[in-house]
Amino acid sequence: MTTTTASPIELLIEGGPPPNGRFGPYGGRFAPETLTSILDRLEEKTEHLFADAEFMTALEAELADFVGRPTPLTPAPALGSRWGAEVYLKREDLCHTGAHKINNAIGQALIARELGVERIVAETGAGQHGVATAAASARVGLPCTIFMGAIDARRQRPNLERMRLLGAEVILVEAGDQTLRAAIDEAFRAWVADPAGTYYLLGSVVGPHPYPWLVRQLQAVIGREARRQTISAAGDLPDVAVACVGGGSNAIGLFHGFIADSDVELLGIEAGGGGRPGESHSATLGAGTTGVLHGAMSALLQDEHGQILETHSIAPGLDYPGVGPEHALLRDLGRATYESVTDDEAIDALNECGSQEGILPALESSHALAGARRWAGSHPGGRIVVGLSGRGDKDLQIINGEVPHD
Ligand SMILES: *Cc1c(COP(=O)(O)O)cnc(C)c1O
């Protein structure tokens, strides 16, 4: 028995479930009583499976053979010479279904199968998490039901069709705001109605404990690979790792590879929206206050009465009023910093990466690129790893102004 207490950062590095389900003052479990035993069982089972060689071998096989890992770390010399930096792109856009979300979806689908549930439920906003969940559920042989707001479904028709072709039942939610928030309510209701037979597959490092920890452990593969690949390509660690932050899963996954390397800066980029004072945005860590949303305490965008504020981003995956509790802790500890870039800056970065490197990034990932370019401006010659969370093909209609993005 050791009597020294681990520091908050040491606890994060260890990788086990956070004590009491808390990241400092954040996280926790603000969920109905009926779910307590289900969430306890999920934590217990997951901790057991993550330590089980047979399960981990099966997970690694799926990551290699189904997802396509390891994803490359691509040097970006054209961006580097324009920015005056050494730039590497961690290519999650090359994952099956086009983004990092499948790392989490396949991991949780395997856990669901081990739990012996009869079906998977999930919600989706723009459809990316729904597509990843549909693909992962089909892969492990479990039926899945995806709840999607009716307005979102009209805006994201191709993703709706993709989910159905992947065998998912998609339920369009006509209630409430008919977007992500209403879809979350309905998915939650379906879960509470049959918690033992249903697995709720959450798409980011948010929600009640153990999800923020569980999803982080599944996305940490991004950072593990990126660290090894940067050392192999550059002979040393990067000066900074940069990623976009919606719920925060691709960022926490990248950051965890470097969290013990105190010389490596961690920079999260939130969506600044239109960027003018008084306009809505999704810069939760930069502008939010502490409160409870979707089962956890974290930073969130709310008014003085606790009403959730309207958010906006041109990137559908960043348009969320909350953020993962671990990011709020990393911010408070000063281990990571968070900035925001505007819609226009993200579009510029998308054009630059597409035309200069031959890689079309997602609008979300373009926020990380714009943030990296800004960082390079004040750190000449610096070595940068950018988390390229997804590919931009899904965003063509938004970029061309064919669908409203708010
Ligand atoms: C969903 C999504 C995001 C935002 O989610 P995080 O949990 O913050 O990673 C970022 N990039 C892409 C491509 C996405 O699809």
Side-chain angles (χ1 to χ4, degrees), residues 92-93 97-101 126-129 203-206 215 219 222 243-252 269 315-319 323 327 361-366 387-392 394-395:
E92 296 303 293
D93 60 313
T97 68
H100 67 289
K101 286 196 170 76
Q128 292 302 110
H129 174 56
S204 191
V205 283
V206 298
V215 177
Q219 293 291 4
I222 302 173
C244 65
V245 179
S249 68
N250 88 91
I252 212 80
I269 305 296
L318 302 184
D319 198 346
V323 69
H327 284 293
L363 281 166
E364 292 84 1
S365 323
S366 301
L388 210 86
S389 54
R391 64 175 183 230
K394 70 179 180 64
D395 296 322

Side-chain angles (χ1 to χ4, degrees), residues 53-290:
E54 201 178 318
F55 179 83
M56 292 310 284
T57 303
L59 173 61
E60 275 156 31
E62 289 304 309
L63 289 175
D65 304 335
F66 181 63
V67 174
R69 305 206 72 88
T71 59
L73 184 80
T74 305
L79 295 181
S81 78
R82 291 164 70 98
W83 302 356
E86 189 182 337
V87 182
Y88 297 90
L89 308 176
K90 181 56 178 161
R91 300 290 305 283
E92 296 303 293
D93 60 313
L94 294 178
C95 291
H96 179 45
T97 68
H100 67 289
K101 286 196 170 76
I102 192 76
N103 303 326
N104 169 50
I106 191 67
Q108 288 195 57
L110 290 170
I111 292 169
R113 200 169 63 183
E114 294 293 327
L115 283 165
V117 298
E118 280 147 24
R119 67 165 180 160
I120 286 174
V121 298
E123 75 278 336
T124 196
Q128 292 302 110
H129 174 56
V131 169
T133 300
S137 301
R139 178 74 183 169
V140 306
L142 281 170
C144 93
T145 304
I146 310 280
F147 294 88
M148 186 178 201
I151 291 176
D152 285 340
R154 278 200 291 282
R155 281 188 206 141
Q156 305 285 343
R157 182 96 216 161
N159 275 341
L160 173 67
E161 283 160 15
R162 261 178 217 124
M163 286 184 265
R164 288 187 168 148
L165 288 169
L166 291 164
E169 174 193 26
V170 184
I171 297 185
L172 301 186
V173 180
E174 311 274 356
D177 67 357
Q178 301 192 34
T179 65
L180 178 62
R181 270 166 72 193
I184 292 176
D185 289 344
E186 286 305 310
F188 207 74
R189 212 163 283 155
W191 185 33
V192 174
D194 176 25
T198 305
Y199 184 86
Y200 183 45
L201 205 157
L202 241 170
S204 191
V205 283
V206 298
H209 177 66
Y211 285 105
W213 161 74
L214 192 173
V215 177
R216 175 249 277 174
Q217 290 302 95
L218 292 172
Q219 293 291 4
V221 65
I222 302 173
R224 273 199 305 277
E225 289 175 7
R227 185 179 194 279
R228 173 167 51 72
Q229 291 167 319
T230 311
I231 291 172
S232 156
D236 205 347
L237 290 167
D239 298 306
V240 67
V242 189
C244 65
V245 179
S249 68
N250 88 91
I252 212 80
L254 180 67
F255 289 179
H256 258 265
F258 302 103
I259 201 160
D261 304 307
S262 52
D263 289 344
V264 178
E265 247 184 84
L266 307 175
L267 175 58
I269 305 296
E270 299 191 296
R276 282 164 291 272
E279 280 184 346
S280 52
H281 56 78
S282 308
T284 313
L285 290 157
T289 51
T290 301

